[in-house]
């Protein structure tokens, strides 16, 4: 027999709905949570208990009902109430100006047109139908007329409201948006797949599409998906504002995430300026975008302009240059790095991708070549993102020619002919020649001179290549024995430039022990590890005589790093080089740490988002000076997170774990209290 629900219980369930829905909106849409996680969990458990005792309380919009339905046998189809049209594209400023000219001609007006500007997210277009403010169904775009019913999966996404946060919503409201996977979530998903020995996704868009097409919504619920809305479709029984941007702001108040980069442009030139700004900012965004969508902002003008074929006349997408393209793999060459790593480099038929012409791409190592199954002569897909080195991501098997050749990994170094060796468990093969290999010598010198190491101004990569090739530089310490006469004989090196270089070398002799250790190029010893080693041992001599057991007492130094450090200082030629550098005048103050001088010792801090006053490296350096470890990911062991504008999943994780969060102003205030002048 069904139990009668007491009125006070019914009222409490409704209150819990409101509390939890509001908390989800603040957390997942506004990125401004007010309800502590512990309180959220208590409210959710209370609602679950009430629904267990009174199953009649369970409704489709209950916060408890995001996941739990049985897996589907197949997706059913849904016919859209209004077609989901595609957009025409522009690929140049001229084409965008033509778009604007056609609009003004059709409106018979010479006045500037106001446009809404929105980043074009690289995700999956969806339609969400709400009836009386309750999510009824969700569908993919499909062919624009018919899509697939993905309601169960969309309900698992916390930035999708199950119930709208107001009473003034239309009786029927169709909202359209993009479901996407943020970059950080994509990286974490692929890392998890790699650890499990599974194949990862090619890019965030494929990951989002694959996650949405799971027949079991419990799998979708584990994927870091988000929804950002960009328009409405069918609207019945209610009025909306008269400008597109105001409609989006209204949707935001009702519970939907909108893009924070959205802007209004007063004319087409302002649109072009916006496109340029977002293009420069593109790689810093927490999500992938492939262009900018420009829409006439006035709804009245949109109605006057109407549609043509399958696209609106009042909107266009100005696409960024492609970041993936197909081209032919002409050959593979092998480069030797500072640590002897032999890296296969693809020589490609030049192709324009990501705004530049690409003719080379990395293939990483032997394992990656085998994973891709790539051969010389194949047609391959190249990806370039920002300043990242272009890489081969897949092979177009259907285009493989009959004469495609296997890629043969060298058994001997292509530079010095020393044997190439691979340590057990390592994917990377290395030249065993050490500094007798000119390629390793060049890379070692470049690293030694780099800004974060000895910071030798004017010693660029091309000059290092010249010095080694001309026989003027046979070791790192040889830098401090260069003289004016041979330098001025080099191409493009006048007397003034040569003297400037010698002056820079002289200045670089005064350094710090952490910088010197980093400059030596010991395997796996980056800036942070070099700093920890210097602080722990204080003096180079003590470090040089430390065994692996003593080295592992240093923060963040495990067995592998300890082995490489000990091995480096066991090699006679390395000891000779260190001594030669000191004899040449390279010097530093010993690292002496007074008791209590590191108030953040034992703490792990994380930096996320954009810092506007300090650079990221400056903030990291200040924190490390105070003894903190600065990590790249948030965990339960994190002490504090510093979050600037644009902070995404790391900030969300910090909130989930109820960790202290500082903005940049708070960080600077803390640093000042510790005596650091900024």
């Amino acid at each position: 027999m069904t139990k009668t629900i007491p009125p006070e219980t019914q009222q409490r369930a409704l209150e819990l709905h409101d509390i939890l829905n509001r908390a989800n909106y603040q957390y997942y849409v506004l990125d401004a949570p007010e309800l502590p996680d512990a309180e959220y969990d208590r409210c959710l458990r209370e609602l679950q208990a009430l629904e267990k005792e009174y199953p009649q309380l369970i409704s489709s919009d209950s916060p408890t009902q995001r996941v739990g339905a049985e897996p589907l046998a197949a997706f059913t189809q849904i016919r859209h109430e209004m077609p989901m049209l595609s957009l025409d594209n522009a690929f140049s400023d001229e084409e965008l100006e033509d778009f604007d000219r056609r609009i003004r001609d059709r409106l018979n007006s010479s006045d500037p047109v106001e446009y809404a500007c929105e980043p074009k997210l690289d995700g999956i277009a969806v339609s969400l139908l709400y009836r009386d403010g309750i999510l009824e169904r969700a569908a993919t775009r499909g062919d624009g007329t018919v899509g697939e019913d993905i309601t169960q999966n969309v309900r698992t996404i916390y930035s999708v409201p199950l119930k709208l946060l107001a009473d003034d919503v239309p009786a029927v409201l169709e909202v359209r948006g993009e479901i996407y996977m943020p970059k950080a979530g994509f990286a974490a998903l692929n890392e998890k797949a790699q650890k499990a020995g599974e194949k990862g996704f090619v890019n965030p868009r494929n990951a989002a599409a694959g996650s949405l097409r799971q027949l079991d919504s419990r799998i979708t619920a584990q994927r870091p998906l988000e929804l950002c809305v960009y328009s409405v479709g069918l609207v019945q029984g209610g009025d909306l504002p008269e400008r597109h941007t105001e409609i989006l702001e209204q949707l935001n108040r009702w519970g939907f995430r909108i893009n924070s980069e959205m802007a209004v442009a007063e004319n087409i030139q302002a649109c072009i300026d916006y496109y340029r700004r977002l293009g420069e900012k593109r790689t810093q965004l927490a999500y992938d975008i492939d262009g900018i969508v420009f829409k006439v902002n006035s709804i009245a003008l949109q109605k006057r302009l109407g549609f043509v074929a399958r696209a609106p006349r009042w909107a266009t997408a100005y696409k960024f240059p492609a970041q993936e393209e197909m081209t032919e793999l002409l050959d593979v060459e092998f480069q030797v790095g500072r640590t002897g790593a032999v890296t296969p480099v693809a020589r490609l038929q030049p192709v324009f991708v990501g705004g530049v012409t690409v003719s080379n791409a990395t293939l990483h190592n032997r394992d990656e070549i085998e994973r891709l199954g790539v051969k010389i002569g194949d047609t391959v897909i190249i990806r370039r993102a920002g300043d990242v080195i272009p890489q081969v991501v897949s092979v177009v098997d259907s285009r493989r020619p009959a004469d495609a050749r296997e890629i043969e990994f060298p058994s001997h170094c292509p530079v010095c002919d020393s044997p190439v060796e691979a340590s057990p468990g390592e994917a990377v093969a290395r030249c065993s020649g050490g500094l007798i290999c000119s390629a390793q010598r060049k890379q070692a010198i470049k690293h030694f001179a780099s800004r974060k190491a000895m910071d030798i101004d004017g010693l660029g990569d091309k000059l290092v290549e010249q010095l080694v090739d001309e026989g003027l530089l046979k070791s790192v310490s040889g830098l401090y024995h260069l003289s004016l006469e041979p330098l001025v004989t080099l191409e493009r090196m006048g007397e003034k430039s040569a003297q400037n270089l010698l002056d820079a070398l002289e200045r670089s002799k005064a350094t710090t022990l952490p910088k010197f250790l980093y400059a030596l190029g010991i395997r796996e010893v980056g800036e942070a590890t070099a700093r920890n080693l210097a602080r722990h041992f204080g003096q180079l001599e003590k470090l040089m005589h430390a065994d692996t057991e003593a080295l592992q007492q240093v923060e963040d130094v495990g067995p592998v790093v300890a082995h490489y450090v000990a091995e480096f200082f066991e090699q006679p030629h390395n000891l000779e080089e260190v001594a030669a550098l000191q004899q040449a005048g390279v010097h530093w103050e010993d690292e002496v740490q007074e008791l209590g001088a590191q108030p953040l010792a034992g703490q792990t801090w994380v930096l996320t988002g954009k810092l506007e006053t300090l650079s990221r490296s400056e903030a990291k350096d200040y924190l490390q000076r105070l003894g903190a470890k600065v990590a790249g990911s948030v965990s339960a062991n994190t002490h504090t997170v510093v979050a600037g504008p644009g902070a995404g999943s790391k900030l969300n994780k910090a909130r989930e774990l109820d960790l202290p969060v500082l903005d940049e102003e708070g960080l600077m205030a803390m640093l000042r209290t510790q005596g650091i002048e900024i």
Side-chain angles (χ1 to χ4, degrees), residues 451-453 455 515 518 527-528 531 535 606-626 628-631 642 664 667 671 676 678:
R451 184 176 60 82
K452 294 179 180 179
D455 193 16
K515 279 182 170 287
Y518 175 68
E527 291 177 89
R531 186 178 288 106
R535 284 176 174 164
V606 172
L607 302 168
T608 183
K610 181 177 175 59
L611 300 184
E612 296 172 335
T613 302
L614 299 172
S615 69
R616 184 74 69 92
S617 61
E618 286 174 332
K620 180 178 178 181
D621 185 59
Y622 288 141
L623 289 168
Q624 289 175 332
R625 278 197 224 169
L626 297 173
K629 171 189 172 184
V630 180
V642 179
E664 186 174 8
L667 169 65
L671 293 174
I676 291 180
I678 301 172

Side-chain angles (χ1 to χ4, degrees), residues 386-432:
D387 296 326
V388 176
I389 298 170
Q391 59 179 324
V392 177
V393 293
S394 61
V395 176
V396 184
D397 292 322
S398 61
R399 296 196 179 191
R400 172 166 288 168
D403 60 350
R405 294 181 287 121
E406 297 286 346
I407 298 170
E408 296 184 11
F409 217 86
S411 60
H412 286 74
C413 175
V415 176
C416 71
D417 204 38
S418 298
V420 170
E421 301 171 349
S423 300
E426 263 199 350
V428 178
R430 299 180 191 276
C431 163
S432 60

Side-chain angles (χ1 to χ4, degrees), residues 184 188 191 195 604-608 616 629-641 649-651 653-654 657 659:
E191 183 180 356
K195 287 179 179 177
T604 299
W605 288 54
V606 172
L607 302 168
T608 183
R616 184 74 69 92
K629 171 189 172 184
V630 180
S633 59
V634 176
S635 72
N637 295 322
T638 302
H639 183 276
T640 303
V641 173
S649 60
K650 292 178 185 177
L651 178 57
K653 181 72 171 177
L657 297 172
L659 300 174

